[in-house]
Amino acid sequence: MAGETKILVVFYSLYGNTAKLARAVGAGVTEVPGCTATLKRVPETMPRETIQHLEQSAAYQKAQEEMKDIPIATLEDLQDVDGVIFGSPSHFGNAAAQIKQFIDATVPLWVKGQLVGKVGGVFCTSGSLHGGNEGTLISMLLPLLHHGMIIVGRTYEDFSLANAGTPYGASATSGPNHDQPPTDQDLVIARSLGKRIAMVAKKLKE
């Protein structure tokens, strides 16, 4: 037996919308027998004064409360898994600085080739329909290629892709005030992505 197939879902989320997608991606992973999903958050890098300003927002406080059970990711978490799925809100059409800093810190793993052959995928949220979803997804995919990871996106065989989303990964629109959670269809797409990545990782491991 090849043993349990482990998938890490690591993300950054400020108002909880990306976290909701992350949970759906993780749920999709566990739909595949023999596969487990672990959710981790990347460390916050914003200045303390900015955090203090955000703490005045009820939406921010609620999101942080909902995510308090999700531990902070470390580079070691990336090593003992068969696949990694990264998630981020879109910041100016790119991945958030927090997730990018975490990925940039993986140079020691890159030097040793410790992510080579692992399966990788991405998901994101943005403030508007054309607010940078695809740019953000692609920006997160590029480092995975440098690591020699095997990228898995969504498939056009997934009927929902004809109605919403992109083949690069799962995404959702949260609105300019970050108060629009992922729709039911967004969550279905995210689950589909997680399931597909888990299936590929399991086959490779076997």
Side-chain angles (χ1 to χ4, degrees), residues 12 14 44-57 60-61 64 98:
Y12 175 70
L14 195 61
E44 182 58 78
T45 61
M46 284 193 292
R48 181 56 195 162
E49 55 267 26
T50 303
I51 297 296
Q52 290 175 331
H53 176 73
L54 287 170
E55 286 173 343
Q56 301 174 26
S57 164
Y60 173 83
Q61 292 179 10
Q64 297 304 309
Q98 289 83 350

Side-chain angles (χ1 to χ4, degrees), residues 50-199:
T50 303
I51 297 296
Q52 290 175 331
H53 176 73
L54 287 170
E55 286 173 343
Q56 301 174 26
S57 164
Y60 173 83
Q61 292 179 10
K62 179 181 178 182
Q64 297 304 309
E65 177 67 21
E66 291 175 347
M67 293 188 291
K68 68 178 183 181
D69 64 315
I70 303 175
I72 300 298
T74 66
L75 295 186
E76 289 72 23
D77 293 326
L78 301 173
Q79 299 177 53
D80 188 34
V81 293
D82 305 293
V84 185
I85 310 174
F86 291 96
S88 173
S90 178
H91 286 189
F92 299 108
N94 208 322
Q98 289 83 350
I99 194 80
K100 190 176 187 305
Q101 180 166 315
F102 182 82
I103 293 174
D104 285 349
T106 61
V107 170
L109 306 184
W110 171 74
V111 170
K112 297 179 180 179
Q114 291 178 310
L115 300 186
V116 172
K118 295 181 187 291
V119 179
V122 295
F123 61 96
C124 77
T125 59
S126 68
S128 61
L129 183 60
H130 298 290
N133 297 54
E134 292 192 343
T136 300
L137 294 172
I138 293 170
S139 74
M140 288 191 289
L141 288 174
L142 294 178
L144 276 56
L145 287 168
H146 282 260
H147 273 291
M149 299 180 73
I150 299 170
I151 291 177
V152 176
R154 294 183 55 219
T155 169
Y156 278 95
E157 293 175 350
D158 177 0
F159 73 93
S160 59
L161 187 55
N163 302 317
T166 162
Y168 309 126
S171 64
T173 300
S174 56
N177 297 317
H178 321 291
D179 56 356
Q180 299 174 22
T183 65
D184 289 344
Q185 186 178 50
D186 294 333
L187 298 177
V188 168
I189 291 171
R191 288 177 71 102
S192 174
L193 176 68
K195 183 177 181 179
R196 186 163 190 253
I197 289 173
M199 290 173 62

